[in-house]
Amino acid sequence: METFIQQIINGLVLGSMYALVALGYTMVYGIINLINFAHGEVLMVGALVSWTTVSALSDSGLPGWLLLLISLIAAIVVCAALNFSIEKIAYRPLRNAPRLAPLITAMGMSLLLQTLAMIIWKPTIKSYPILLPNEPHVVFGAVINTVQILILVITAVTLAGLMYLVNFTKLGRAMRATAENPRVAGLMGVRPDMVISATFIIGAALAAIAGVMWAANYGSASHTMGFLPGLKAFTAAVFGGIGNLAGAMVGGVMLGLIEALGAGYIGALTGGVLGSHYQDIFAFIVLILVLTLRPSGLLGERVADRA
Amino acid sequence: MKDNKIVVFLIAAVGLLIVPLIAQQFGNAWVRIIDIALLYLLLALGLNIVVGYAGLLDLGYVAFYAVGAYTMGLLASGHLTETFPAIAAAFPEGLHVPILLVIPLAAGVAGLAGVLLGAPTLRLRGDYLAIVTLGFGEIIRVFLNNLDHPVNITNGPKGIGPIDPMHLFGFSLGERHELFGLDIPVVTNYYYLFLALVIISVVICYRLERSRIGRAWMAIREDEIAAKAMGINTRNMKLLAFGMGATFGGVAGVMFGGYQSFITPEAFSLPESVMIVAMVVLGGIGHIPGVVVGALLLAALPEVLRYVAGPLQQMTDGRLDASILRQLLIALAMIAIMLSRPRGLWPSPEHGRAAVVPDETPHQHLEPSEQIPPTVTAIAPTVK
């Protein structure tokens, strides 16, 4: 039972981070129908910027939580600027091009960011300092530390904020209109270029938060850390029904839970034949099952013949 | 006219035959680069069947490459006999399956894997298909990495080796030869083998493109529902595309295994898949000359530039070493070529049909169905 609760907690923490990243994918896909392959790399840049900020300020004697906050803001600013420029340079000129072209530039961007990060930060794994009190809290016999609680709280607050933004503000209405039909939205006085830029900036901010949390939770950051979270977050977005914000959240959390429970129990279930290093394939097996049984995802609407 | 063609053909043939003999004067490393480029070309041609002809975006293509390489690795190395006494008892001289048997076997296994992957994804389109195939590629790699226990099949991250060098008709490709006073090192042997395979593949692809099957694939690519209405069995055709493409990947994998004589799961990671997709798309999707150009460019150019990386590395305090520079160049090439020529370097010609100039108003093509006016859709290969 304790294992079960522990794995639920781990799954929720992991799932919240997936959800944050998945939202970035799903918003971009909803508006311009593009898999932004570079999104995982934005998470990586966020984590590394945060690491640099924390290392630079480590002698200043500031308390840990303030350091974390400053580095988080720095990461959000850098990532937002980065994602804004990526869209402007690599995706905007290709909006009328064949469908595969922006996908290839997105993959190129992902590779480029990884390489640049390797050049700037050197290809070593950095250990991320412990900034918050590390003693574990016991909940129903399972343990959770301060960083993990913080991740759950921040994710909940961010998601609530995003829901408000999309559903109740002028920008949110413009975003929904653009996703529905950009040409008509343009006629109604929405500036699609502005909306698309805003979408990339918001997505980058979410990814930066996830990146800093990821680094703080696992205690390390490196130039390759963006790949797997990015891939799984995209899986989560598809799982929930791509283009659907609530779907991305549900998909992210579900995927986190499935992975944690799967990794926790696969050894016992198979008599030790398969171990927890198969954790990474659960995501894809789930994905293949969901897409075969319900190709539009959990909450996605059925769109006939939509590519 | 006809004579002219034959002359051009002869010059090209002689040129291809003496390329390695010239390159080896500058060192075998150069021939090696060409060999690797030919292997990538083989992969790109295979993927072109799936992505270019049938319009199914496959981001896990490297999985079939891995299947081929591991088939070769298991059947032509000491690994299985060392691990399983039963096999060692059955083959007292070790398991050394001749290459001419391994190739059809690996092609069959990889083709089967392709069909197995294709089956559950038949209903998926576009980006969903991309992500599922990507997942499949990762699953294969995770299994290769972890199937060293409880039963050691793939030897895990340590990889399999040494794999026997290839023998063709009593001619060992793993040894230096002397022919008519010419020195033929190992890399050059393999060059001729790979070249032969590439030529066979190009002929197969060319014939496929113009066959009933090829036309069916292209019909599916342009409009699946219309293709179905025309009486094409879309399910079988899509499975056939996956299977055919995977077969090419499997054969290329066998070649890679025999050539490198050592394989690890890390050789078959996602960046390789991305690279192969990039070759097909950069060159000109669905157009054989374009794919050839794309593959040779992306495979060879960065390797060549590695040799000028030395001074740069010293200038930048070791930060820009050869492999980083290579990655940087590939990334920049992918972005720059797509931005300047979104349809690829050498796209397929538009068969003399009147091209409709797309409306220049921005943001009108966001809905896939509106992406390209219908008349152009019929010409330009689109991947759904």
Side-chain angles (χ1 to χ4, degrees):
Chain A
M1 195 59 202
E2 265 132 54
T3 338
F4 182 71
I5 294 174
Q6 185 65 59
Q7 293 302 341
I8 293 277
I9 291 177
N10 293 348
L12 283 177
V13 171
L14 189 63
S16 327
M17 293 188 285
Y18 287 157
L20 284 175
V21 186
L23 282 167
Y25 277 113
T26 227
M27 284 196 299
V28 167
Y29 193 89
I31 291 189
I32 57 172
N33 278 323
L34 163 76
I35 303 179
N36 183 6
F37 259 89
H39 199 64
E41 269 32 88
V42 175
L43 173 144
M44 172 268 295
V45 171
L48 285 173
V49 166
S50 158
W51 175 82
T52 310
T53 321
V54 170
S55 322
L57 292 176
S58 58
D59 300 330
S60 61
L62 294 171
W65 64 269
L66 193 60
L67 273 181
L68 190 64
L69 187 68
I70 294 173
S71 76
L72 185 64
I73 292 170
I76 291 177
V77 171
V78 172
C79 288
L82 180 71
N83 221 17
F84 173 77
S85 349
I86 291 176
E87 193 268 333
K88 204 139 206 180
I89 296 167
Y91 305 153
R92 185 165 298 179
L94 289 175
R95 252 184 238 154
N96 299 334
R99 216 171 142 61
L100 261 185
L103 196 66
I104 295 291
T105 50
M107 290 175 185
M109 262 301 162
S110 163
L111 194 62
L112 183 67
L113 288 180
Q114 236 183 73
T115 316
L116 288 180
M118 199 150 67
I119 295 170
I120 296 171
W121 281 285
K122 300 222 167 148
T124 50
I125 296 176
K126 280 97 196 148
S127 73
Y128 197 90
I130 297 165
L131 297 171
L132 296 175
N134 203 25
E135 70 268 23
H137 311 274
V138 180
V139 188
F140 300 119
V143 291
I144 181 167
N145 65 28
T146 320
V147 173
Q148 290 175 320
I149 294 175
L150 189 71
I151 291 175
L152 295 178
V153 172
I154 287 191
T155 307
V157 172
T158 317
L159 296 188
L162 188 71
M163 281 318 239
Y164 175 79
L165 176 87
V166 170
N167 288 317
F168 299 105
T169 63
K170 212 173 161 185
L171 175 63
R173 202 156 56 220
M175 284 165 71
R176 281 180 290 141
T178 312
E180 200 68 44
N181 188 329
R183 208 183 323 178
V184 178
L187 292 173
M188 297 295 131
V190 173
R191 280 190 296 166
D193 275 337
M194 207 259 317
V195 170
I196 291 168
S197 291
T199 308
F200 273 87
I201 289 173
I202 296 170
L206 298 178
I209 295 173
V212 176
M213 294 297 136
W214 193 280
N217 189 31
Y218 293 105
S220 69
S222 74
H223 68 280
T224 53
M225 69 182 282
F227 170 65
L228 222 50
L231 196 58
K232 287 187 188 159
F234 184 77
T235 306
V238 174
F239 187 15
I242 195 150
N244 182 318
L245 293 186
M249 298 176 200
V250 174
V253 172
M254 294 259 300
L255 190 68
L257 286 174
I258 290 169
E259 277 198 355
L261 290 174
Y265 286 101
I266 186 174
L269 283 178
T270 57
V273 173
L274 301 175
S276 58
H277 34 253
Y278 283 97
Q279 181 183 356
D280 289 342
I281 68 173
F282 288 118
F284 300 117
I285 291 176
V286 167
L287 180 78
I288 292 173
L289 285 179
V290 169
L291 287 181
T292 321
L293 302 174
R294 192 180 155 76
S296 49
L298 289 178
L299 300 183
E301 49 214 280
R302 281 192 180 274
V303 187
D305 209 358
R306 187 164 169 169
Chain B
M1 186 64 201
K2 191 116 197 191
D3 289 342
N4 223 343
K5 243 181 183 170
I6 292 171
V7 170
V8 170
F9 179 79
L10 279 178
I11 291 173
V14 172
L16 284 173
L17 285 177
I18 60 169
V19 158
L21 302 178
I22 296 167
Q24 75 195 28
Q25 304 305 316
F26 302 96
N28 285 347
W30 290 94
V31 190
R32 225 186 132 70
I33 291 174
I34 302 173
D35 288 357
I36 296 286
L38 287 176
L39 273 181
Y40 273 115
L41 179 51
L42 213 52
L43 287 169
L45 285 170
L47 185 65
N48 185 43
I49 294 178
V50 188
V51 182
Y53 296 164
L56 305 161
L57 181 52
D58 185 349
L59 286 184
Y61 190 66
V62 84
F64 308 122
Y65 191 38
V67 166
Y70 269 84
T71 310
M72 175 75 182
L74 291 176
L75 292 179
S77 78
H79 176 68
L80 280 183
T81 45
E82 279 159 27
T83 335
F84 301 102
I87 296 180
F91 298 93
E93 275 136 53
L95 191 56
H96 301 286
V97 182
I99 186 72
L100 286 178
L101 205 62
V102 175
I103 291 178
L105 211 64
V109 173
L112 191 68
V115 173
L116 285 181
L117 164 72
T121 60
L122 281 175
R123 287 170 60 196
L124 305 178
R125 291 161 166 276
D127 305 327
Y128 286 152
L129 181 66
I131 207 77
V132 168
T133 48
L134 197 159
F136 179 72
E138 282 298 290
I139 289 176
I140 292 255
R141 200 172 58 84
V142 170
F143 272 107
L144 292 179
N145 254 324
N146 290 308
L147 274 182
D148 51 347
H149 60 88
V151 186
N152 186 356
I153 300 173
T154 64
N155 210 20
K158 290 193 290 290
I160 294 180
I163 300 168
D164 304 339
M166 294 181 214
H167 289 262
L168 271 180
F169 311 110
F171 184 86
S172 168
L173 280 84
E175 288 164 24
R176 178 177 288 269
H177 291 275
E178 190 106 10
L179 278 182
F180 314 118
L182 282 171
D183 179 36
I184 314 270
V186 178
V187 280
T188 309
N189 292 334
Y190 280 106
Y191 169 86
Y192 290 121
L193 177 64
F194 294 168
L195 182 69
L197 276 171
V198 164
I199 290 172
I200 294 171
S201 304
V202 167
V203 171
I204 293 176
C205 286
Y206 188 82
R207 300 296 301 163
L208 267 178
E209 198 182 322
R210 279 152 187 78
S211 71
R212 200 183 158 79
I213 295 171
R215 287 198 307 275
W217 282 337
M218 283 178 244
I220 293 173
R221 177 185 75 194
E222 301 305 344
D223 191 332
E224 191 173 337
I225 294 168
K228 212 168 187 169
M230 290 292 139
I232 294 169
N233 185 335
T234 52
R235 186 197 60 198
N236 288 1
M237 281 300 152
K238 280 161 95 174
L239 285 182
L240 188 64
F242 268 117
M244 286 286 275
T247 307
F248 277 73
V251 173
V254 172
M255 295 300 130
F256 179 74
Y259 181 66
Q260 294 284 18
S261 92
F262 181 71
I263 46 175
T264 64
E266 285 320 302
F268 310 103
S269 54
L270 179 74
E272 292 292 311
S273 281
V274 171
M275 178 95 152
I276 304 164
V277 174
M279 287 169 179
V280 174
V281 179
L282 286 187
I285 186 162
H287 189 222
I288 296 170
V291 171
V292 172
V293 170
L296 293 184
L297 192 72
L298 270 195
L301 192 64
E303 299 291 337
V304 174
L305 286 164
R306 267 169 107 128
Y307 286 87
V308 298
L312 212 66
Q313 192 173 349
Q314 282 157 11
M315 263 155 54
T316 53
D317 185 26
R319 284 185 181 214
L320 265 183
D321 73 8
S323 67
I324 295 182
L325 191 69
R326 174 173 180 266
Q327 261 194 45
L328 195 65
L329 283 168
I330 292 175
L332 287 175
M334 282 165 77
I335 298 169
I337 296 178
M338 276 297 107
L339 284 178
S340 52
R341 294 185 70 95
R343 293 192 52 217
L345 287 173
W346 192 347
S348 49
E350 307 198 349
H351 298 300
R353 274 183 254 180
V356 174
V357 181
D359 194 348
E360 295 285 312
T361 346
H363 318 301
Q364 53 146 5
H365 300 310
L366 304 174
E367 205 54 34
S369 53
E370 297 173 5
Q371 211 162 22
I372 303 166
T375 31
V376 179
T377 318
I379 305 157
T382 50
V383 167
K384 293 209 205 85

